[in-house]
Amino acid sequence: MSDTANEREIRLGKLARLREIGYDPYAVESFPFTETAENLKDTTAQREGEVVPFAGRIVSRREMGKSQFLHLSDGADRFQIYVRKNDIDDAAWEALNLLDLGDHLGVVGSLFITKTGEPSLQVSELKPLSKSLHVVPIPKQRGEEQWYGLTDTNVRFRHRHLDLITNPDARRTLVDRSRIVTAVRRCFNAWGYLEVETPMLQQEAGGAAARTFSAHYNAYDLEVDLRISLELYLKRILCGDIPRVYEIGRVFRNEGVSNRHNPEFTLLEFYEAYADLEVMMQRVEDLFRTVATEVFGSPLVRIKRESQDGDIVSEDVAGFSEDEVVLDFGKPWRRVDLLSAIEEHSGLTAEDLSSLQNAKAALKNRNVVNPVTGKRINAEEERHLGGLIEKLLEVFVEPHLQEPSFVIGYPLETSPLAKKDPNRPGFTRRFEGYVLGREICNAFSEINDPIDQRERFQAQMAERASGDDEAHPMDEDFLYALESGMPPTGGCGIGMDRMVMLLTGARHIRQVMFFPMMRPEGHAPDED
RNA sequence: GAGUCGGUAGCUCAGUAGGUAGAGCAGCGGCCUUUUAAGCCGCGGGUCCUGGGUUCGAGCCCCAGCCGGCUCACCA
């Protein structure tokens, strides 16, 4: 991004002149005012003549010789000011004329309504508060309509401040995200959970299957990994008789980027002693209902799909139309048994799914195809039944999980931290929540049998030895904690970014990340 | 990673058949003391993503690459 040198020089020249005449914008430290543009607009009619201060970014300007109208934006809304040469001294008038769209301006004036009916402020004092040294893309608008603005997603993601200035949706998403996170915290605090923080730099990152980022710690001359989950440290706190904890924190996974993956993302995990799967499902239902109600005013969340560039917004419940989805977080989520769901949607039988051998044979002989791609399911590389079952879940079941749903009963091999299901060998007491076909949470009854946990880790080590470099590492410190005794515990993880995507209708994780990972411009990736 | 679409002025975009780049907004100069996508007159502004190639001549055609969007794949 570069402005023409000319543009910048012109503005630097104006800045120099502002300083000469005693209106150095950067010298100002404060400009107190309390009312929002929206509030001023709403109350001007009742307060005509009242003198009030206001400040904001100059987003429009109409000059008429010895008077001019400008709109100042406080970010959320804009308010019109009217400046007449006769109302202010000559230096102030010159200062005003040295300002550009994009500069910040503070004014004091009296409220009035113009001939055309717009609430406005007739300015008696003004003070430039900052100068923009390059052209800020300011959208033009009339009512709800908007012209121009900034549409290049490349620029929007790399220079998010411009996106926030220009696109109301970007601003709305930021506000919504903040409110959602606040509402989540309020929920857990109300339920008696303690918010804790655990190490990001770890010697052996565990709790999930993912490749790590590494770093070097100079003082101990130690190679460390950035964490990939919160799980193991949180459970060590449970072992210390803190019965309800949660953490909302950044984790780092050294994997690819997609519309729903970013290498660093925000994970919520919560653990509750003496609680099982049922309680966890209850918590998830309560959480989504409460957050939706608190942030959007209703447990009914309306997700609207907008035209071209994939921007989607969610709004309140009024005025539905056809290309919208309405999710009701007010009612209990659907509950689905994982294996039964696969049988129902794939045509495979319980017999087929009873062993890896049978499953591979059935897929081979019966020409079972992926309903989306039409291609046959390739199961040859699967090393164990659990992996194949999860793959079948993705292909056949996920598309049917549009309504908020819990899928219950995950395979043992892919659930190294979940308690075994005593009634069903090879499966665990684990569920995942799905909404609109996407995984939204992962929960289970935590293993508190240290012998079992050790065996699971050993099984993972064997996986690792046979080539799965994402298999879970052994963690002796964690096992030592478990051996000291952890009460039966339910735990759950929710990707906050995906939760925000869901509730705000964002299609791309970059819309809710604000500063997503972007490949540097003009550099090819290194050869691997 | 594959397919596909896009990258032209600060922003939004156009660019015909290959003939040496345009509009609106923004900017600069002038006029205008209730305008609101203000208006009127005048002016300046370009690494046409990058690098090769074809051609007398390339924004346009060909090749390679970069960045991004979308779809798919990968991904606890």
Side-chain angles (χ1 to χ4, degrees), chain A residues 97-108:
Chain A
N97 285 287
L98 289 164
L99 298 180
D100 292 292
L101 294 189
D103 296 350
H104 286 88
L105 176 64
V107 296
V108 178

Side-chain angles (χ1 to χ4, degrees), chain A residues 423-441:
Chain A
N423 299 318
R424 194 148 59 143
F427 288 86
T428 60
R429 295 286 290 154
R430 171 181 165 196
F431 71 86
E432 291 194 352
Y434 282 84
V435 183
L436 296 180
R438 292 183 190 171
E439 180 195 335
I440 203 72
C441 72

Side-chain angles (χ1 to χ4, degrees), chain A residues 51-199:
Chain A
V51 174
V52 298
F54 184 63
R57 189 187 294 272
I58 300 171
V59 293
S60 83
R61 173 183 232 171
R62 290 168 299 283
E63 293 181 67
M64 280 159 303
K66 297 186 178 60
S67 76
Q68 50 187 285
F69 288 91
L70 304 91
H71 277 108
L72 301 186
S73 166
D74 62 12
D77 206 347
R78 41 178 67 188
F79 192 69
Q80 178 169 269
I81 63 167
Y82 175 51
V83 190
R84 300 200 308 177
K85 188 171 189 307
N86 288 355
D87 291 343
I88 57 177
D89 62 47
D90 289 348
W93 181 252
E94 182 180 355
L96 178 68
N97 285 287
L98 289 164
L99 298 180
D100 292 292
L101 294 189
D103 296 350
H104 286 88
L105 176 64
V107 296
V108 178
S110 62
L111 294 167
F112 78 109
I113 307 248
T114 64
K115 272 183 188 169
T116 52
E118 175 155 355
S120 305
L121 202 60
Q122 184 160 345
V123 172
S124 50
E125 295 171 41
L126 61 83
K127 191 182 271 187
L129 302 176
S130 87
K131 190 101 191 85
S132 168
L133 296 182
H134 54 83
V135 178
V136 177
I138 303 282
K140 297 211 144 225
Q141 64 176 41
R142 177 172 62 191
E144 295 299 302
E145 295 174 85
Q146 183 172 324
W147 291 262
Y148 311 114
L150 183 67
T151 60
D152 185 335
T153 49
N154 203 359
V155 178
R156 289 174 57 184
F157 293 149
R158 287 178 198 275
H159 305 284
R160 182 66 82 176
H161 66 287
L162 297 177
D163 192 25
L164 290 168
I165 291 169
T166 305
N167 296 303
D169 281 352
R171 180 190 174 84
R172 193 177 309 133
T173 303
L174 184 144
V175 172
D176 285 348
R177 179 178 184 130
S178 174
R179 296 177 63 198
I180 288 167
V181 173
T182 299
V184 167
R185 284 209 164 88
R186 204 170 359 237
C187 262
F188 286 104
N189 294 343
W191 295 335
Y193 280 69
L194 293 182
E195 180 171 12
V196 298
E197 291 177 272
T198 60

Side-chain angles (χ1 to χ4, degrees), chain A residues 8-80:
Chain A
R8 191 182 174 83
E9 277 164 23
I10 289 166
R11 292 184 179 223
L12 284 170
K14 289 176 177 177
L15 174 63
R17 180 61 187 158
L18 280 169
R19 285 175 164 156
E20 277 173 26
I21 63 175
Y23 282 95
D24 184 347
Y26 298 131
V28 180
E29 280 193 84
S30 70
F31 190 88
F33 69 105
T34 52
E35 293 187 83
T36 63
E38 187 185 18
N39 185 41
L40 285 175
K41 270 182 172 175
D42 290 345
T43 58
T44 296
Q46 293 81 50
R47 301 163 60 193
E48 279 202 71
E50 187 179 331
V51 174
V52 298
F54 184 63
R57 189 187 294 272
I58 300 171
V59 293
S60 83
R61 173 183 232 171
R62 290 168 299 283
E63 293 181 67
M64 280 159 303
K66 297 186 178 60
S67 76
Q68 50 187 285
F69 288 91
L70 304 91
H71 277 108
L72 301 186
S73 166
D74 62 12
D77 206 347
R78 41 178 67 188
F79 192 69
Q80 178 169 269

Side-chain angles (χ1 to χ4, degrees), chain A residues 197-212:
Chain A
E197 291 177 272
T198 60
M200 289 203 187
L201 298 177
Q202 306 182 347
Q203 282 189 69
E204 192 85 73
R211 280 184 289 167
T212 56

Side-chain angles (χ1 to χ4, degrees), chain A residues 254-480:
Chain A
N254 206 336
E255 288 164 357
V257 166
S258 81
N259 66 337
R260 58 199 69 145
H261 295 83
N262 194 73
E264 52 177 310
F265 62 97
T266 302
L267 193 57
L268 158 69
E269 288 192 20
F270 55 98
Y271 293 85
E272 179 167 337
Y274 313 109
D276 63 1
L277 282 200
E278 287 300 321
V279 175
M280 288 296 109
M281 285 190 254
Q282 192 66 53
R283 294 293 188 209
V284 172
E285 287 172 352
D286 289 348
L287 181 70
F288 275 82
R289 188 186 62 248
T290 308
V291 170
T293 306
E294 201 163 301
V295 177
F296 300 105
S298 163
L300 292 178
V301 177
R302 165 197 182 208
I303 294 170
K304 179 178 164 195
R305 180 168 294 252
E306 275 196 347
S307 55
Q308 299 174 342
D309 67 328
D311 277 1
I312 305 173
V313 295
S314 67
E315 295 164 21
D316 57 21
V317 214
F320 291 98
S321 72
E322 284 180 346
D323 50 358
E324 292 168 345
V325 186
V326 179
L327 297 171
D328 185 357
F329 289 110
K331 57 185 187 189
W333 295 27
R334 218 173 98 205
R335 299 191 180 194
V336 178
D337 176 73
L338 188 155
L339 215 49
S340 313
I342 290 176
E343 289 170 27
E344 180 186 344
H345 295 290
S346 71
L348 295 167
T349 65
E351 174 69 18
D352 295 331
L353 297 170
S354 63
S355 74
L356 181 61
Q357 241 177 350
N358 287 4
K360 280 186 175 177
L363 288 170
K364 204 166 189 175
N365 300 333
R366 252 178 290 142
N367 195 29
V368 179
V369 299
N370 181 324
V372 178
T373 63
K375 285 190 275 191
R376 299 186 59 150
I377 312 294
N378 177 15
E380 291 313 308
E381 289 157 27
E382 295 299 337
R383 276 194 293 266
H384 46 66
L385 182 62
L388 179 55
I389 284 176
E390 290 216 17
K391 186 168 191 170
L392 295 171
L393 169 74
E394 263 174 55
V395 171
F396 292 105
V397 184
E398 280 188 11
H400 299 281
L401 303 174
Q402 299 297 313
E403 290 291 302
S405 309
F406 293 125
V407 176
I408 305 162
Y410 277 69
L412 185 68
E413 299 95 321
T414 56
S415 312
L417 299 161
K419 229 172 210 184
K420 287 173 183 163
D421 186 338
N423 299 318
R424 194 148 59 143
F427 288 86
T428 60
R429 295 286 290 154
R430 171 181 165 196
F431 71 86
E432 291 194 352
Y434 282 84
V435 183
L436 296 180
R438 292 183 190 171
E439 180 195 335
I440 203 72
C441 72
N442 177 24
F444 35 88
S445 293
E446 307 293 338
I447 298 177
N448 64 340
D449 172 352
I451 309 298
D452 185 12
Q453 185 64 75
R454 184 177 292 278
E455 287 169 3
R456 303 291 191 90
F457 282 160
Q458 281 162 351
Q460 290 289 312
M461 297 301 280
E463 285 289 318
R464 177 168 285 212
S466 68
D468 181 358
D469 57 1
E470 292 191 356
H472 202 289
M474 183 64 70
D475 188 330
E476 289 293 347
D477 284 340
F478 172 63
L479 286 172
Y480 180 65

